Amino acid sequence: MGDAAMYKAVALTAAPFPQALRAVAALTEPLPDFPRLLKSTVPLGSVGAAFAKFVADNGITPLSVSQRVREEVAPLNLVAARYVLVHDMFHVLLGFDISRPGELAVWSFVAEQRYSPSYARAAALARLLYPIAQPSALSALALHRRQAVQLAKVCPCLIGRPLEQYWSLPLQEVRRELGIRKGNDA
């Protein structure tokens, strides 16, 4: 399943903006292995514990990508390859759930941080369609979007951060380091 998601992400995502590509290419390990990390023991309150709770609570299985796909496909669009793996980690770090307002927030954050024109289009499409799909959530959609855009302006290029290295660190400490000042917990 991870290989298919990686192929799809790389095939359907436009070339990344240069600053995002430079940030991801500078990482020691641009393609984290979250399924492997989930097997490790981490302290309560850590990024890893928050991620494990997030995926369990939402019935999400982190993607596992074969070594062949990592080597052959990911270099074609390293930013898209990384984003498909770290999207759920963005939810955890930013403190947004997987509701429509939470998804709009993550897409808005990514669009504002300028990783790829494709992500800006995805955010614009979500801004258009989510209010139609869930008119009862109009105020939450607007609030989450505003919060995400503000976070994106103060947070360093999140896709270029070594997220897997934060695994055993306290979530609140990592959020402070990244400039994420938001009341939501993942």
Side-chain angles (χ1 to χ4, degrees), residues 18-176:
Q19 72 277 7
L21 181 57
R22 280 191 302 274
V24 171
L27 292 168
T28 305
E29 177 50 58
L31 302 177
D33 186 350
F34 289 116
R36 181 187 56 76
L37 287 171
L38 279 171
K39 295 175 185 171
S40 65
T41 304
V42 292
L44 286 176
S46 67
V47 170
F51 185 80
K53 180 178 178 352
F54 177 83
V55 297
D57 288 353
N58 292 292
I60 296 169
T61 302
L63 298 175
S64 181
V65 179
S66 71
Q67 190 60 37
R68 184 179 63 79
V69 170
R70 287 171 178 267
E71 292 170 0
E72 294 176 6
V73 177
L76 300 173
N77 189 333
L78 192 55
V79 171
R82 180 169 175 80
Y83 187 67
V84 77
L85 297 176
V86 300
H87 175 86
D88 293 328
M89 181 61 85
F90 276 38
H91 279 278
V92 172
L93 292 172
L94 298 172
F96 293 112
D97 62 18
I98 63 167
S99 65
R100 282 191 182 99
E103 287 295 340
L104 176 60
V106 172
W107 281 116
S108 297
F109 177 90
V110 168
E112 187 69 26
Q113 287 222 319
R114 296 184 42 81
Y115 301 154
S116 167
S118 296
Y119 302 143
R121 286 192 292 277
L125 193 58
R127 271 194 319 273
L128 177 71
L129 296 178
Y130 286 4
I132 295 168
Q134 192 175 4
S136 62
L138 285 176
S139 62
L141 287 162
L143 174 65
H144 281 55
R145 180 176 178 275
R146 279 193 311 275
Q147 289 174 332
V149 167
Q150 286 305 313
L151 285 172
K153 290 177 180 178
V154 298
C155 187
C157 179
L158 195 56
I159 199 162
R161 301 299 289 210
L163 304 180
E164 58 282 4
Q165 292 178 13
Y166 300 146
W167 199 250
S168 60
L169 299 177
L171 176 62
Q172 294 308 325
E173 179 182 304
V174 170
R175 283 179 173 165
R176 268 191 305 279

